[in-house]
Amino acid sequence: MNSAHPHSDDQALTSIEFRMRQAGEWLKLPDGVIETLIAPRRVLEVSIPIRRDDGTRERFTGWRVQHNITRGPAKGGIRYHPSVSRDETVSLAAAMSLKTALMNLPLGGAKGGVAVDPKTLSPAELERVTRRYVSEIFAFLGPDKDVPAPDVGTNAQVMAWVMDQYSIGVGHAVPGVVTGKPLALGGSLGRDSATGRGVVEAAMLVCQANGTSLEGKRVVIQGFGNVGMWAARLAAGWGARIVGIADVGGVISDPRGIDIDALVLATRNGSTSVVDCGIGEVLARGAERSTEVFALPSDIAMPCALGGAIDKDEAMTITAKYVIEGANGPLTPAADDILNERGVIIVPDIYANAGGVTCSYLEQCQNYAHLQWDEDEVNASVVNTMRAAFKRLHGFATQNGLTYRSAASVLGVKALADAHQLRGLHP
Ligand code: NAD
């Protein structure tokens, strides 16, 4: 499959539509099917007026996109970030459709978000934004319809408000309307670590497939939030050496391996960035320099911060042989092309960060059954699901001479197309 991209605006939506169309061509789908799969099923744009603490009124815009609901209830996070837009939300929802299909989870793909910087809101304002957003998209939501989860800028507390607002609307408690909620409201053990656990499992599996292991490998990570922090902890636990970590504050490094436990403790004790912890050597300060972490000598790079972090320049300087995409869409299409040409093995986001949605699915199962599984059971199930999906992905890529990214898109699109074919076209 030709992996060259159209040199349009390199935006995430163009990119995922291009990938899906390419997969459709590879599969030789009957005329029109791929366009049906690419188009989001439902896009809801809502206005969110709230009262600020000082009594003034402010208005934000939010979206909820159900991209595909053929295989099961829509599933996808809620993002609060100033750059949230309709197109970004549609592209992330499409990625969720492919992700749940690739992972063989009986779910569809969705995403939601509000164009707001949550750091500029007080906790009370954040709650008002959340409650108003949920009441505007209320008719879309439900355990059998659409189940949100946390994403950038939202957390378990926000999910608790989502659960409460929805439950008030229907008149009884509905824990299964949302995942990533606090344990006390029916959240799952293991949810916190699940995405990072999946990223590290992906790294181990791709090393294994290439006749090597994670042990002793030099790893660089961008992002020390939920995904990056857990990826660092678990990779270090398997004997990898974390030689560089970057976050919004800059880059730290230690060629002998950063003391991850100490770093976790320092960030828990209030350090707002890895560069303020007094651990490792501070190589750069500021978000704009955080991608310098990828130029450090390393074997594995794990971009676990925001989308589009690695563009052409960074792609030229990456030293790692493997890139494991913890974040959603961390490589621009141009960077992806350059890394492929350089022979770097890329494990794509729709597989690499799927540990999170896998655990969310397990949370839904527990909610349906009114049970709570123990943490080891949840973690083992996440790992087993990652392993089974890697077996399919690696086997398919190898048999057909495809990159992991192309193979993942084809497998995802195929599962969606098969489901569409079986259900038939209404009316
Ligand atoms: P988070 O908010 O917990 O952490 C984000 C991290 O990225 C922080 O360390 C922050 O300092 C850093 N960061 C933010 N802007 C940056 C910048 N401009 N330069 C460098 N670093 C920057 O978020 P998270 O939950 O860890 O999610 C990270 C990525 O993983 C996102 O792309 C998200 O969509 C994706 N993802 C998350 C999950 C999940 O379960 N949390 C699941 C799948 C995918």
Side-chain angles (χ1 to χ4, degrees), residues 79 151 191 195 224-227 247-248 290 304-305 326-328 353:
R79 180 174 289 200
D151 191 70
R191 179 63 185 85
T195 308
F224 202 65
N226 174 275
V227 182
D247 69 6
V248 75
S290 83
C304 299
N328 283 313
N353 69 32

Side-chain angles (χ1 to χ4, degrees), residues 79 81 92 99 111 150-154 191-192 194-196 222-229 246-250 272 286-288 290-291 303-307 309 326-329 353-357:
R79 180 174 289 200
H81 194 274
L92 290 166
K99 194 182 295 187
K111 203 78 182 189
D151 191 70
V152 176
T154 58
R191 179 63 185 85
D192 244 23
T195 308
Q222 186 196 32
F224 202 65
N226 174 275
V227 182
M229 189 267 283
D247 69 6
V248 75
T272 49
E288 61 292 341
S290 83
T291 50
C304 299
L306 288 181
N328 283 313
N353 69 32
V357 70

Side-chain angles (χ1 to χ4, degrees), residues 40-60:
R41 182 77 173 261
R42 296 167 184 156
V43 179
L44 181 60
E45 179 173 308
V46 296
S47 182
I48 305 164
I50 65 145
R51 193 71 69 191
R52 297 298 295 244
D53 291 344
D54 65 5
T56 58
R57 186 190 268 259
E58 192 155 353
R59 196 193 71 82
F60 303 100

Side-chain angles (χ1 to χ4, degrees), residues 3-10 14-15 18 333 337:
S3 71
H5 287 85
H7 291 285
S8 58
D9 51 4
D10 276 9
T14 322
S15 170
F18 172 72
D337 288 345

